[in-house]
Amino acid sequence: MMELTAAQRRMADGEDGEITRRLMRLLVRLGEVFGAERMVELSSVQVSGISYKSIGDPGLEFLEDVAAQGARVRVLTTLNPAGMDLQRWRELGFDETFAAKQWRIIEALTTMGALPTVTCAPYLTGNLPSFGQHVAWAESSAVSFANSVIGARTNREGGPSALAAAVCGCAPAHGLHLDHNRRPTLAVEVETKLTSRADFGALGHHVGKLAGSGVPYFFGIDTAGVDQLKSLGAAMAASGAVALYHVAGVTPEASQHSPAGLETVRVDRRLLDDARSALSSAGAQRPDLVVFGCPHASLEEIARLARRLDGRTLKTPVWICTARTTRDTAARMGLVETIEQAGGQVVADTCMVVSPMEDLGFGTTAVDSGKAAAYLPGFCSQRVVFDDRDSLIQGALDDEG
Ligand code: F3S
């Protein structure tokens, strides 16, 4: 039996309403399955399963039903990407029926009190927990970032369990909420310099397959910024189920652990190049579309791309996926205009994987993201060109390459 606080007991007993009782009982049941002895109090929740493409009518009806029964979130709750740009969907070619249903999903969740951030990088848009705080996040790339780069604590929640956690403000204390599960299980010695996001993505994709749901501990990555780490973690979460990794000298918990005695894998340039090649499935096919922003692009990434496109003309369309608030800031800085003048698009609220790309007439997509390269063939029937950002931009420009 799990030990509950008085407030949690009231929820489980139905004193806060029937829907809260049902959701609390779901959390208790999950806790029992995983052997949790108590709940942790949460500082925030990230809910996934927002795209109509992903959840369809059953998911839409479930969310509307929960909202209609009066469920309301108790903690800061943010949302994963939707299936379309919520403002410019018509201009970008999205279908009217799809758009109407997508909006109903957003309305159901905002009725419950969730913030319509609609991004997979909530840590860039106001949902930024501090070191050691417990959260319940349900986006695998964001889970990896929260655990590894921030040092917050979350398991890989699913859409329903995250929603239940948001309404009840707590989650079962098991898995990565507990110290002993945060120890490394596999050492990875990186023997080559990582020079691009594509390198980080390919490394992540390779290591994710080896680590499964374990905790890799990287050596030899001397420096890595936020965008590189989000790329590394997203790819490991896609090819495996990695929810936490450590990088010696870089991530905040690395110094608390020793990888001594662990199985060690080595990654040299030849192996990394092989991993990069394995992510390309398009052969000699040219891309119909080049997409950046998986996970959602930061302002710095948008600024870099704008500088690269300034005064140029694209012959292949380029989309940069990001959060609405990041796009708004980029627009105020003139970056969106620069990108649009070159023929590119800064697409908010969605991404190439959770939108119905295959219905928009694209068959071959170029990316520099290991996660996108892993998911696009299966989720969107796309052939993939995987390469560095600069090479992809070069190929997409009218006047060069
Ligand atoms: Fe985000 Fe979509 Fe990639 S949700 S992590 S941009 S697959």
Side-chain angles (χ1 to χ4, degrees):
M1 280 292 283
M2 287 181 72
E3 192 180 311
L4 300 180
T5 64
Q8 291 161 1
R9 174 60 53 206
R10 278 199 300 279
M11 285 189 262
D13 289 345
E15 290 180 36
D16 290 355
E18 173 57 17
I19 187 64
T20 304
R21 184 189 73 82
R22 278 171 49 198
L23 295 172
M24 187 66 188
R25 290 178 81 86
L26 170 70
L27 294 177
V28 170
R29 184 71 195 118
L30 284 171
E32 287 167 355
V33 167
F34 289 108
E37 293 172 355
R38 60 187 173 86
M39 297 283 180
V40 289
E41 301 281 341
L42 301 173
S43 63
S44 77
V45 170
Q46 167 83 357
V47 179
S48 67
I50 309 302
S51 167
Y52 176 67
K53 175 186 172 181
S54 309
I55 64 172
D57 287 329
L60 164 61
E61 285 157 19
F62 168 76
L63 291 172
E64 287 188 330
D65 181 44
V66 173
Q69 291 187 55
R72 297 294 179 266
V73 304
R74 263 164 229 261
V75 293
L76 170 66
T77 300
T78 49
L79 304 181
N80 239 27
M84 62 183 196
D85 185 309
L86 293 171
Q87 289 180 7
R88 297 167 60 244
W89 55 270
R90 196 176 265 114
E91 188 187 321
L92 293 166
F94 290 91
D95 172 81
E96 191 108 15
T97 310
F98 183 94
K101 293 194 172 182
Q102 181 61 73
W103 264 110
R104 281 171 57 191
I105 292 170
I106 301 294
E107 277 160 16
L109 286 156
T110 52
T111 298
M112 289 185 240
L115 301 181
T117 47
V118 206
T119 177
C120 52
Y123 43 87
L124 297 179
T125 58
N127 185 352
L128 180 62
S130 54
F131 182 88
Q133 277 188 327
H134 295 280
V135 298
W137 284 14
E139 153 56 40
S140 65
S141 68
V143 164
S144 171
F145 193 93
N147 278 316
S148 314
V149 184
I150 301 171
R153 297 179 167 220
T154 178
N155 290 314
R156 281 168 63 119
E157 299 291 347
S161 68
L163 185 63
V167 169
C168 300
C170 59
H174 70 95
L176 294 175
H177 290 293
L178 306 177
D179 287 343
H180 63 269
N181 293 320
R182 300 178 70 85
R183 294 185 200 124
T185 59
L186 175 74
V188 181
E189 187 153 10
V190 180
E191 298 178 331
T192 181
K193 196 167 166 50
L194 306 174
T195 59
S196 64
R197 271 184 43 124
D199 272 355
F200 278 88
L203 174 66
H205 191 268
H206 176 70
V207 172
K209 285 190 291 184
L210 301 175
S213 58
V215 180
Y217 189 107
F218 291 91
F219 296 96
I221 301 176
D222 300 337
T223 168
V226 164
D227 292 323
Q228 294 156 327
L229 292 171
K230 77 179 162 58
S231 187
L232 175 71
M236 281 192 285
S239 64
V242 173
L244 167 66
Y245 64 91
H246 304 293
V247 182
V250 175
T251 58
E253 289 177 54
S255 61
Q256 296 174 17
H257 301 287
S258 166
L262 292 178
E263 178 196 350
T264 302
V265 296
R266 294 189 167 73
V267 179
D268 58 16
R269 178 43 61 180
R270 193 182 54 75
L271 204 151
L272 192 63
D273 285 343
D274 288 348
R276 289 174 58 122
S277 301
L279 288 169
S280 283
S281 53
Q285 198 106 18
R286 284 188 59 79
D288 306 318
L289 178 69
V290 179
V291 188
F292 300 107
C294 173
H296 271 174
S298 65
L299 197 55
E300 190 189 343
E301 288 175 297
I302 295 172
R304 277 176 193 273
L305 287 159
R307 280 199 293 277
R308 187 75 176 83
L309 294 177
D310 194 7
R312 308 290 178 86
T313 304
L314 290 160
K315 65 182 170 191
T316 305
V318 170
W319 285 16
I320 303 162
C321 297
T322 192
R324 170 74 46 199
T325 52
T326 310
R327 189 188 191 280
D328 288 348
T329 308
R332 281 199 296 281
M333 292 167 67
L335 303 173
V336 172
E337 193 182 354
T338 302
I339 291 163
E340 287 181 348
Q341 276 174 355
Q345 296 279 356
V346 181
V347 179
D349 311 319
T350 189
C351 82
M352 61 290 245
V353 171
V354 299
S355 66
M357 294 265 307
E358 60 283 19
D359 299 338
L360 301 180
F362 301 116
T364 303
T365 301
V367 294
D368 69 343
S369 158
K371 175 173 178 177
Y375 281 175
L376 279 169
F379 281 78
C380 303
S381 310
Q382 298 294 297
R383 291 174 294 272
V384 170
V385 176
F386 180 79
D387 207 341
D388 294 334
R389 180 191 57 211
D390 286 346
S391 306
L392 295 178
I393 288 285
Q394 187 71 26
L397 283 168
D398 216 1
D399 51 348
E400 302 168 52

